[in-house]
């Protein structure tokens, strides 16, 4: 299911070593969804409508970051279906979404995540050994190995990531025959179809690795993802998450198409910090400052309440957007300064000082200090820009020039609107 998440993670690495010696054959995945003509689905919880109805609330709670409520429901399912992988996989997914808002940097939940995914694979393997046409077991094996592979890749444990990706692909091949039975089964193939092509185009140095994987089909992958978002129960939110990220990427650049999806995720899950900050960013990019301001204020309010997921990562986005809006919409320089300073504090507390929000917050404060003829403050902020910005960037050159000519008269005119809005366009 989540092999594509591994490919996406691998693509983000500039230096990966993959030992492919253990991969001895090429697997051919067909892009046609086949419904098995005679499959015994008795005991398949993914096909049980009563279970679907019961767990819709739990899945909703999970993605709305009501983890305690969601996990109580999953544990209730586990007591009744102790030998089924579904409750263990859902518990692992809950741990995963505790990691996501920190840009997958926190390791606090790694142990629980891997333990639940390992248990899910153990339970699924037992079911598969009993019946090698149990495509539901294949689904959970592919999903659990895929998610585990993704986190191993994020932790730069490439050996484990590669081994588990290979296992995920094996079971993805086996489970594809059930794609016609349920949209849940289609999710993994959709991700693979898209990202297998994406890596070949974006990261040519990884092409030797792709020789051991089947060919993808990017257009089909997007089509399949759209189908999952509209028809699945368990995988629909995850499919929406990936479709949102894909459509807003620089390669696809389809933000207008993505926006209804981003907005629906934000409205459906108002306490999901990741969805809220992503929605705020899209509103900012579209120039919808009223909505961006509303969402950003809510993010900071939830941060102050201590809601799970609303930490310095989300605060960094919200405070930057509010600073820009206060400066350029309301001409409220004092409030803008306060928000820019909060953005700097959030960035430093989360070790995000190489990203655009931190750099442009310092640049804005430097320019405002220059306009106010506060040479000491301006120098301090420009020095922060020099320490973090790319040496070839305009902001670096501006900061360097100021440091060289500190004592010279400077203009009081501040024109930060265009560069400071457009250059933080992406999620960085």
């Amino acid at each position: 299911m989540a092999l594509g998440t591994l490919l996406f993670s691998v693509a983000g690495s500039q230096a990966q070593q993959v030992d492919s010696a253990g991969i001895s054959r090429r697997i051919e995945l067909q892009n046609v969804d086949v419904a098995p003509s005679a499959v015994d689905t008795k005991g398949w919880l993914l096909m049980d409508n009563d279970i679907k109805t019961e767990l819709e609330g739990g899945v909703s709670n999970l993605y709305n970051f009501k983890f305690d409520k969601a996990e109580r429901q999953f544990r209730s399912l586990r007591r009744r279906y102790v030998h089924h992988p579904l409750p263990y996989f859902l518990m692992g997914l809950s741990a995963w979404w505790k990691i996501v808002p920190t840009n997958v940097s926190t390791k606090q939940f790694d142990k629980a995540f891997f333990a639940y995914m390992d248990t899910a694979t153990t339970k699924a393997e037992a079911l598969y050994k009993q019946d090698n046409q149990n495509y539901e077991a294949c689904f959970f094996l592919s999903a659990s190995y895929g998610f585990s592979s993704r986190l191993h890749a994020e932790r730069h444990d490439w050996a484990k990531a590669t081994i588990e990706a290979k296992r995920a692909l094996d079971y993805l091949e086996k489970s594809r025959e059930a794609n016609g039975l349920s949209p849940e089964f289609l999710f993994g193939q959709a991700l693979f179809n898209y990202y297998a092509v994406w890596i070949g185009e974006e990261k040519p140095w990884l092409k030797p690795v792709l020789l051991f994987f089947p060919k993808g089909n990017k257009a089909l992958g997007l089509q399949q993802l759209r189908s999952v978002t509209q028809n699945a129960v368990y995988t629909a939110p995850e499919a929406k998450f990936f479709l949102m990220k894909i459509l807003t990427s620089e390669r696809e650049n389809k933000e207008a198409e993505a926006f209804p999806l981003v907005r629906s995720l934000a409205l459906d899950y108002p306490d999901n910090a990741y969805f809220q900050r992503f929605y705020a960013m899209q509103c900012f990019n579209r120039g919808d400052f009223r909505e961006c301001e509303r969402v950003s204020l809510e993010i900071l309010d939830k941060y102050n309440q201590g809601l799970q997921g609303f930490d310095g990562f989300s605060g960094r986005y919200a405070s930057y957007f509010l600073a820009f809006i206060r400066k350029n919409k309301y001409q409220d320089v004092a409030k803008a300064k306060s928000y820019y300073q909060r953005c700097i504090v959030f960035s430093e507390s989360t070790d995000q000082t190489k990203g655009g929000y931190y750099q442009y917050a310092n640049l804005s404060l430097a320019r405002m200090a220059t306009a106010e003829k506060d040479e000491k403050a301006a120098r301090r902020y420009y020095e922060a820009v020099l320490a973090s910005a790319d040496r070839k960037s305009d902001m670096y050159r501006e900061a360097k020039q100021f440091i060289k000519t500190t004592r010279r008269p400077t203009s009081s005119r501040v024109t930060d609107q265009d560069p400071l809005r457009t250059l933080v366009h992406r999620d960085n």
Side-chain angles (χ1 to χ4, degrees), residues 41-59:
T41 62
K42 183 179 180 181
W44 291 22
L45 297 190
L46 290 178
M47 303 290 289
D48 189 314
N49 288 328
D50 290 336
I51 297 296
K52 284 183 182 180
T53 301
E54 174 186 345
L55 287 181
E56 276 184 323
V59 171

Side-chain angles (χ1 to χ4, degrees), residues 88 104 119 133 143 184 242 364 369:
Y88 304 96
V104 201
T119 304
Q133 280 195 310
E184 312 293 347
F242 274 98
S364 294

Side-chain angles (χ1 to χ4, degrees), residues 26 30 33 43-44 46 60 135 180 185 216 226 228 271 274 303 322 340 352 375 378 382 389:
R26 181 186 178 92
Q30 301 299 320
D33 303 335
W44 291 22
L46 290 178
S60 179
Y135 299 110
F185 295 102
R226 291 187 180 100
V228 176
D271 289 335
Y274 189 92
Y303 168 83
L322 290 170
Y340 278 133
Q352 299 284 300
E375 182 181 294
Y382 273 127

Side-chain angles (χ1 to χ4, degrees), residues 80-217:
R80 286 171 286 148
Y81 299 95
V82 67
H83 298 300
H84 199 281
L86 176 58
Y88 304 96
F89 176 75
L90 290 173
M91 291 292 288
L93 194 60
S94 182
W96 170 251
W97 273 95
K98 295 173 185 176
I99 299 171
V100 169
T102 67
N103 295 337
V104 201
S105 64
T106 183
K107 297 182 180 180
Q108 179 182 354
F109 307 102
D110 283 21
K111 185 175 181 180
F113 169 82
F114 285 123
Y116 282 122
M117 290 304 179
D118 286 348
T119 304
T121 59
T122 299
K123 301 294 183 181
E125 283 171 352
L127 294 177
Y128 184 71
K129 287 178 180 178
Q130 294 174 15
D131 177 8
N132 62 9
Q133 280 195 310
N134 189 327
Y135 299 110
E136 183 184 57
C138 294
F139 168 86
F140 283 111
L141 284 162
S142 178
S144 301
Y145 281 129
F147 269 96
S148 294
S149 175
R150 168 70 189 276
L151 190 55
H152 282 307
E154 291 285 355
R155 302 295 180 245
H156 296 173
D157 190 341
W158 300 116
K160 288 183 179 179
T162 304
I163 290 170
E164 299 210 341
K166 172 62 167 57
R167 291 170 177 167
L169 184 57
D170 287 341
Y171 288 107
L172 179 62
E173 179 198 21
K174 294 170 183 176
S175 67
R176 70 177 176 82
E177 292 186 17
N179 287 346
L181 286 178
S182 170
E184 312 293 347
F185 295 102
L186 191 59
F187 180 43
Q189 190 174 349
L191 287 181
F192 183 86
N193 273 328
Y194 182 85
Y195 282 115
V197 177
W198 184 91
I199 281 193
E201 295 173 345
E202 290 288 321
K203 309 293 179 181
W205 59 85
L206 289 176
K207 283 186 177 180
V209 177
L210 295 180
L211 292 175
F212 299 100
F213 293 93
K215 292 182 179 180
N217 184 325

Side-chain angles (χ1 to χ4, degrees), residues 65 67 101-102 271 273-274 277 306-314:
F65 284 17
F67 297 115
T102 67
D271 289 335
Y274 189 92
R277 76 193 193 205
L307 268 63
Q308 186 155 359
F310 289 88
D311 49 23
F313 290 91
S314 296

Side-chain angles (χ1 to χ4, degrees), residues 101 256 267 280 298 312 347:
L267 295 178
E298 286 188 357
S347 299

Side-chain angles (χ1 to χ4, degrees), residues 345-364:
V345 171
F346 282 133
S347 299
E348 291 175 344
S349 70
T350 57
D351 195 24
Q352 299 284 300
T353 57
K354 296 300 181 182
Y357 295 100
Y358 175 80
Q359 294 166 2
Y360 293 123
N362 276 290
L363 185 62
S364 294

Side-chain angles (χ1 to χ4, degrees), residues 194-195 222 225 242-249 252-253:
Y194 182 85
Y195 282 115
L222 286 174
L225 265 182
F242 274 98
L243 188 57
M244 170 185 82
K245 295 287 285 185
I246 288 169
L247 293 176
T248 57
S249 67
E252 296 297 332
N253 194 26

